[in-house]
Amino acid sequence: MRVEEIKKVCVLGCGNMGSQIALNAAIHGFEVINMDVKEEMVAKASAFKDQYLPGRVQKGRLTEEQAKAAAQRISYTSDLEKAAGGADFVIEAVLERLDLKRQVFRELDRICKPDTILATNSSFIISSKIVDVTKRPEKVCNMHFFNPALVMELVEVVQGPHTSPETANVVMELAKKMGKTPVLLKKEVYGFLVNRILMALMDEATWLADMKVASPEDIDTAVTKALGHPMGPFRLMDLTGIDLHYDIAMELYRDTGDPKHKPSPLIVEKVTKGEFGRKSGKGWYEYKEQK
Ligand code: CAA
C-alpha cells in the first residue's frame, strides 16, 4: 500500500486522545470515522468538534470553508463494523488495557480489508503483545500521538519485529500528511522515547515532593522557569492522567526490574484516591470546570 491510497481513516475511542487524533486527521483532508462503544463518549467527541472548529475559525487558524469541509469529512458512531469496514487505516485509541486491545484487534482483523494497516496509539503497550490475534502481522505497529493531539507535533512510529519496512514507511508518511513530525523507533522498547525521558523527570519531581523538599507548585515553577518547559511535571501529569503515569511506571518496573521506575508512594496515594488529574477534577491541582 502507498500512503496516497489512504483516504478513509478509522479512529477507535472517542476519549481525549481518540477524538483529537480523529479531528486532526479530518482537518488534514482524510475521511474519518471516530468510534466508541459508549454512546455518551460518541456524543462528547461530536460536541467537541462542534465547539473546536468554529473556535479555530474565530482565531483565524482555519477558514470557514476549511472548517466546514473538515466537519463534513468526520462522522461518529458506536458501530465497529460501520467504522472499520471501509477503512484504509485504523488507529486504535481505546483504554490502555491489554485484554481490551487484543479483543479489538481480533475484531478489526475480521472486519477490515486485508491490506488495511492497524496501528495502536498505546502509550506503553508494544504491538508485539497484540499482533498474534491478527493474520496481518506485517501491517501492525504503534503510532503514538501526544496530548493534546491536535497541538503536539511529534508522533512516535514503533516498528515491531513483525512490522514490514513498507508499513513503517507508510505510517511515517501518513503522520506527515496529518501535519505531524514523526520519528521511527526501529526497536520496541517500553515507554518508547518520550515517555522514558518524561518518566525520569516526573519520577524525580514526585520523589522530591514526597521528601517534602518543595511543593508540587514550586517544583513546577522551577521546571518552567529554569528549563523553559511549557508546563511543569505535576501540571503535565494532571493533563495526561496520573493513572496513566502509574500504569507506565509499573510496566517499566515489571519489564526492567529497576526500582527507579517504581511509582512513589505519593503517586500510589493519588491513584488509590481516584485523583487522576483534570479528567477526575482533581490531581495535583483542582479543576473546577475543566474535566
Ligand atoms: N486541546 C486542543 N488544543 C489545545 C488544548 C487542548 N487541550 N490546549 C491548548 N490548545 C491549543 C490552543 O488552542 C492554542 O492554539 P493556537 O495557538 O493555535 O491558538 C495552543 O494550543 C496554545 O494554547 P494556550 O495559549 O491556551 O496555552 P499554552 O500556550 O499554555 O499551551 C499546551 C497549552 C499546548 C498544552 C502547552 O502547555 C504544552 O505544550 N504543554 C506540554 C504538553 C506536553 O508535554 N504534552 C506531551 C505529554 S506526554 C504524552 O502525551 C505521552 C503519553 O503517552 C501520555
Side-chain angles (χ1 to χ4, degrees):
M1 174 185 271
R2 289 174 309 121
V3 72
E4 293 77 21
E5 291 166 49
I6 299 174
K7 309 276 182 226
K8 294 186 182 179
V9 175
C10 163
V11 181
L12 298 182
C14 289
N16 183 29
M17 290 303 289
S19 60
Q20 292 215 6
I21 293 168
L23 195 47
N24 181 67
I27 290 169
H28 285 85
F30 295 92
E31 243 181 83
V32 182
I33 303 193
N34 191 191
M35 182 268 165
D36 201 294
V37 283
K38 289 192 179 164
E39 289 290 352
E40 76 255 31
M41 295 304 287
V42 173
K44 207 172 157 188
S46 177
F48 172 68
K49 175 250 310 166
D50 291 340
Q51 161 251 310
Y52 181 79
L53 290 174
R56 300 314 281 164
V57 175
Q58 245 176 13
K59 267 194 168 178
R61 302 287 197 249
L62 290 177
T63 64
E64 288 229 15
E65 292 70 37
Q66 286 168 329
K68 203 171 152 205
Q72 280 169 352
R73 278 192 293 264
I74 190 164
S75 59
Y76 298 87
T77 183
S78 58
D79 182 337
L80 180 61
E81 305 255 350
K82 186 176 155 197
D88 305 310
F89 194 95
V90 179
I91 304 170
E92 167 276 309
V94 305
L95 293 175
E96 293 277 28
R97 280 186 13 228
L98 179 59
D99 56 339
L100 178 63
K101 290 189 189 280
R102 287 176 63 81
Q103 187 191 323
V104 166
F105 270 71
R106 190 175 288 118
E107 284 289 285
L108 285 174
D109 194 49
R110 179 180 64 77
I111 298 167
C112 292
K113 299 180 288 182
D115 60 344
T116 302
I117 294 176
L118 309 179
T120 173
N121 174 56
S122 178
S123 297
F124 61 93
I125 299 173
I126 53 176
S127 69
S128 277
K129 289 201 167 182
I130 306 172
V131 71
D132 61 287
V133 301
T134 77
K135 294 188 192 72
R136 61 182 86 200
E138 73 288 353
K139 293 189 182 343
V140 175
C141 73
N142 287 78
M143 183 182 195
H144 184 215
F145 293 78
F146 291 83
N147 191 344
L150 278 156
V151 181
M152 305 314 286
E153 274 183 49
L154 191 76
V155 169
E156 291 173 319
V157 178
V158 188
Q159 187 173 359
H162 47 273
T163 314
S164 69
E166 185 200 359
T167 296
N169 185 46
V170 171
V171 182
M172 292 287 288
E173 291 306 312
L174 182 71
K176 288 181 200 163
K177 284 186 87 173
M178 290 181 174
K180 302 296 180 191
T181 304
V183 287
L184 179 65
L185 279 72
K186 295 178 192 151
K187 265 188 192 172
E188 288 180 323
V189 287
Y190 287 100
F192 312 141
L193 298 180
V194 173
N195 276 336
R196 280 177 93 102
I197 295 166
L198 194 55
M199 291 298 283
L201 176 77
M202 287 174 168
D203 283 342
E204 196 54 42
T206 315
W207 281 109
L208 285 166
D210 213 5
M211 291 191 289
K212 303 203 181 324
V213 175
S215 66
E217 289 85 346
D218 283 349
I219 296 171
D220 274 354
T221 301
V223 171
T224 52
K225 300 296 176 197
L227 302 178
H229 292 197
M231 279 179 169
F234 292 98
R235 190 67 76 190
L236 187 53
M237 268 186 268
D238 276 1
L239 176 71
T240 54
I242 299 171
D243 50 337
L244 180 61
H245 177 95
Y246 174 85
D247 288 342
I248 297 174
M250 284 306 290
E251 193 74 16
L252 284 169
Y253 180 45
R254 270 192 296 264
D255 180 53
T256 61
D258 189 334
K260 80 176 180 200
H261 294 302
K262 213 169 141 188
S264 78
L266 263 187
I267 293 277
V268 177
E269 189 185 313
K270 287 278 171 202
V271 172
T272 311
K273 284 185 181 163
E275 294 176 3
F276 300 148
R278 281 198 202 188
K279 63 182 161 189
S280 64
K282 188 172 182 200
W284 302 108
Y285 297 88
E286 293 213 16
Y287 302 87
K288 293 245 160 0
E289 285 147 36
Q290 269 173 304
K291 283 207 177 179

